[in-house]
Amino acid sequence: MSTLQTDRNDIELLLAAGFRIEGPSAEGGTFWWTLHRNGWSGVECGEHCATVDEAWADAARALREDEDLDWEHLCVREEVRSQFPPGFEYLMVRATARDR
């Protein structure tokens, strides 16, 4: 499994996976991530975070825990491949290259 941090390659991977950072909120000025993928009818949302960087880190954690991704083999499960853009697996490899 990847130990994603949030550098430029990781943010590119998160954006390609469908994550966006929202905020600041009207109450408390917090930030949170949203996730939408091709074929989904709704949006997932993360917890509220104090900063944009914390929201990206929380999105990276959610991506690491995504059961649709095989981090050991750096690939997307075949059943959901259409939800991810072409080249997504290359972005997985690039984002985890420093861990290898």
Side-chain angles (χ1 to χ4, degrees):
M1 181 184 302
S2 168
T3 56
L4 270 177
Q5 298 167 3
T6 50
D7 68 14
R8 186 175 52 93
N9 289 336
D10 300 324
I11 291 174
E12 184 177 4
L13 176 67
L14 290 162
L15 290 169
F19 285 90
R20 302 293 180 267
I21 300 301
E22 309 291 340
S25 65
E27 309 88 31
T30 58
F31 299 85
W32 63 98
W33 56 262
T34 59
L35 173 61
H36 178 77
R37 291 196 181 129
N38 292 332
W40 286 14
S41 61
V43 175
E44 288 185 27
C45 297
E47 298 295 321
H48 285 255
C49 301
T51 68
V52 170
D53 289 340
E54 288 177 20
W56 279 123
D58 190 47
R61 177 204 49 77
L63 187 65
R64 282 194 307 273
E65 295 172 358
D66 190 330
E67 294 179 2
D68 292 333
L69 303 176
D70 178 345
W71 287 102
E72 181 179 351
H73 299 104
L74 297 172
C75 62
V76 177
R77 280 192 11 233
E78 191 63 38
E79 309 84 64
V80 295
R81 187 170 302 278
S82 65
Q83 295 177 9
F84 293 85
F88 184 78
E89 290 161 334
Y90 167 76
L91 296 175
M92 290 176 71
V93 169
R94 195 169 75 185
T96 59
R98 71 175 163 272
D99 301 329
R100 297 183 178 273

